[in-house]
Amino acid sequence: MSILNAKNAKNAKNAKNAKVLDSDGLADVLLAEALLRARDGIVGTAHLTGDAPGAPTLDQGERLARMSADYREAVLIAEIFEDLSFETDQPEDAPVADAARWLRRGDDGPILLAGFHPPSAEDFRNAIPLVGGYADLRDDRMAEILVQTQDLIPFFATLQPLEPERCRRIHEMLEVAMSVATMAVMRIKLALGCPRPDQFSSRIQPLVDMPAHGAFPSGHATQSFLLAGLLTLLNDPGARLNADSQMFRMASRIAVNRTVAGVHYPADSAAGAMLGVALARYLAARGGGQKAGGVRMDGRQWAQGGQTRDFHLGEFARMMAGDDPAVRFTAANPVRPAPLWGWLWSQARRERNERWS
């Protein structure tokens, strides 16, 4: 869960329980009363005058560092989305779109970041036996699935040193990135409106609560492949994303776990993986002045020859190699720098480079 989402959840809980004053609330009231009386006791009745103003000395990045984490995240997300736009191919009077895409600003006009055409409803229906078969793994994967509904970062923290005390900016960068991913994937889900597995069969009996939003692409897959890509590029901004790395092995397992839980189809994971990779390259480029390309996935090509198709690490490697007819990568182009995000990226890079200290 991101810092911003956690803050919103806390605010919602506080609003729901507004009539209940807990011990913290009582302590706040006592402190306010104590400060009020202390001021009355020492200020007196003298006319107040302010100190002479000084000139600002901090740049935007340094001022950003002084903000509280939730507001800092809001500023960073706003900056990232300043260069993005969303569009759909939606037939007149149709309730859902045929395709949806995120575009980024380019020198000569919008450039594709990530675009998706979903599988057909019949393709989703044909995948139901495969989704049902994955239920055999629920006993083995239950602990992972339940923890992953709340947090993904600890699973990647086992793969490289990410102690919160030494990697504050890395963790913050990852949290902001996951919030960006949530916003990007939810906009696509809403536009495409793809059905969930339990809408086809009551025998799916998902292991976790079925989300109320559409299935395609998978949000967990988007976030996990984004994390894997960002952490790889944090170590080396010019690195080639190796599908067989431990990072992407973990991302693939997290994505498959959502099918095991009964809430996603393999095609959802494939689309989420591509969106996550595209976002990782884009965010790394905006932070470090690199180039980034885009990706287009046609879910109608995922079920080849009408055959149900699975998603796993091998399929991801095939997609990344450019050998998958459903996926097309676009050429890398310069990305406009994001100074505030770039500040956080540089701080995260510094923490990573100082890990031996």
Side-chain angles (χ1 to χ4, degrees), residues 50-258:
D51 295 334
T57 59
L58 300 181
D59 62 25
Q60 279 200 93
E62 292 170 319
R63 296 201 306 275
L64 181 70
R66 287 184 164 189
M67 298 176 71
S68 61
D70 48 350
Y71 294 122
R72 190 163 56 242
E73 180 174 352
V75 169
L76 290 166
I77 292 172
E79 182 189 49
I80 290 166
F81 275 95
E82 286 170 2
D83 267 27
L84 299 179
S85 60
F86 182 77
E87 67 177 29
T88 64
D89 296 335
Q90 188 155 348
E92 187 176 354
D93 299 327
V96 296
D98 287 338
R101 65 191 67 85
W102 279 101
L103 306 171
R104 64 177 178 89
R105 186 188 304 182
D107 292 338
D108 300 319
I111 299 174
L112 179 71
L113 174 61
F116 300 91
H117 194 298
S120 68
E122 192 62 25
D123 288 334
F124 284 130
R125 178 177 179 270
N126 290 339
I128 291 300
L130 183 58
V131 176
Y134 265 107
D136 291 344
L137 296 177
R138 288 181 183 178
D139 281 343
D140 179 57
R141 304 280 187 100
M142 183 174 65
E144 294 175 47
I145 290 169
L146 295 179
V147 172
Q148 287 161 5
T149 63
Q150 302 298 317
D151 200 358
L152 301 180
I153 292 177
F155 292 88
F156 294 92
T158 64
L159 305 179
Q160 67 178 48
L162 283 179
E163 299 89 348
E165 295 80 6
R166 299 176 63 183
C167 303
R168 290 189 306 116
R169 298 307 184 191
I170 294 177
H171 278 264
E172 182 175 0
M173 178 200 70
L174 297 178
E175 293 282 3
V176 172
M178 287 198 296
S179 288
V180 169
T182 295
M183 295 177 184
V185 74
M186 287 299 169
R187 192 65 185 87
I188 299 172
K189 285 173 177 283
L190 181 63
L192 300 180
C194 297
R196 292 279 183 169
D198 67 340
Q199 293 176 251
F200 286 103
S201 174
S202 61
R203 299 178 67 181
I204 291 294
Q205 296 182 23
L207 181 62
V208 297
D209 290 340
M210 184 66 74
H213 47 263
F216 182 92
S218 163
H220 273 69
T222 300
Q223 288 188 330
S224 61
F225 280 90
L226 168 62
L227 292 175
L230 269 183
L231 288 170
T232 300
L233 296 172
L234 186 69
N235 293 334
D236 178 5
R240 176 179 175 272
L241 298 184
N242 178 12
D244 195 38
S245 69
Q246 290 297 97
M247 289 291 178
F248 286 113
R249 284 175 175 266
M250 183 65 76
S252 296
R253 185 176 178 94
I254 292 171
V256 170
N257 280 348
R258 299 297 282 174

